[in-house]
Amino acid sequence: KMIKDDAIPAVETYKLEPDCVLHCMGKPIETTAAAAAAPAASLPAVAAAVPTIPVAASAPSPLPTPAVVADPLQTALQQLRSFNSPQVYATALSTLAKILANIADHPMEEKYRKVKQQNVAFAKRLGGLNGGDAAMRAVGFVLEQQEGVPVYQLHASPEAWPKLMASKATIDAAAIEAERLLTAHT
């Protein structure tokens, strides 16, 4: 309702479907060091609840800059691409894309959030490949023993959903690109 009443036609612009759920995340407000030191009591209740990021002083920090940590999903995709043929890579991506699409389409059904590690088709198409295990873990699956069988399990949680959707977008884009490159070379 809030989006529908907005002056900007967000429903049409962003192609929102009826009864869809929209997750909004706030953005930290950047402040100066003096404003960050001001007492929170002087701020309205809503503004006090918004986290702030103090602006660093002009003096350089004596601490070393931490190394940038590589994105686990990008690392896994690089492994899949490097150690497998283009056809196998495209098949692996389409398999992972299908797994993620099933979860997104049926989020309340447990069966879509489980994959037996030893499933023959899964092992051939993704799980048994160099980078396959890393890709499954990067999108949020954990490897567990269930009734003595190793199973990739994606546990439902509020934190898991945004990661799943971001991973799905990345995998979908990579799968489209892999198919495009594959058809360009054949």
Side-chain angles (χ1 to χ4, degrees):
K1 181 171 169 57
M2 290 172 31
I3 291 175
K4 186 189 282 184
D5 295 339
D6 196 0
I8 301 170
V11 173
E12 292 83 19
T13 302
Y14 298 106
K15 298 180 180 17
L16 300 175
E17 297 176 6
D19 300 321
C20 71
V21 177
L22 182 63
H23 296 272
C24 298
M25 297 181 65
K27 184 174 163 184
I29 299 171
E30 194 171 297
T31 63
T32 64
S42 66
L43 299 172
V46 173
V50 176
T52 60
I53 300 173
V55 174
S58 60
S61 171
L63 300 174
T65 305
V68 175
V69 178
D71 176 23
L73 183 54
Q74 292 300 328
T75 302
L77 293 178
Q78 182 60 41
Q79 271 186 296
L80 281 168
R81 190 180 313 109
S82 298
F83 293 103
N84 298 289
S85 70
Q87 178 64 47
V88 170
Y89 174 65
T91 299
L93 289 179
S94 68
T95 301
L96 186 53
K98 183 64 176 171
I99 290 169
L100 299 181
N102 282 339
I103 296 168
D105 292 344
H106 310 282
M108 302 306 289
E109 293 189 45
E110 178 77 18
K111 70 180 182 179
Y112 292 110
R113 290 184 274 123
K114 272 188 203 182
V115 180
K116 291 182 181 175
Q117 184 186 36
Q118 297 170 341
N119 176 298
V120 176
F122 170 74
K124 180 180 178 186
R125 295 171 57 96
L126 176 64
L129 303 177
N130 192 335
D133 176 72
M136 290 295 285
R137 292 174 188 265
V139 299
F141 283 89
V142 292
L143 191 58
E144 300 177 339
Q145 291 289 323
Q146 294 182 4
E147 299 175 9
V149 176
V151 173
Y152 286 103
Q153 176 75 50
L154 181 68
H155 295 284
S157 72
E159 299 80 28
W161 186 255
K163 181 178 181 178
L164 173 79
M165 298 316 298
S167 297
K168 182 180 179 312
T170 300
I171 297 299
D172 288 347
I176 289 168
E177 180 64 14
E179 284 296 327
R180 185 188 70 75
L181 291 173
L182 196 60
T183 55
H185 292 328
T186 56

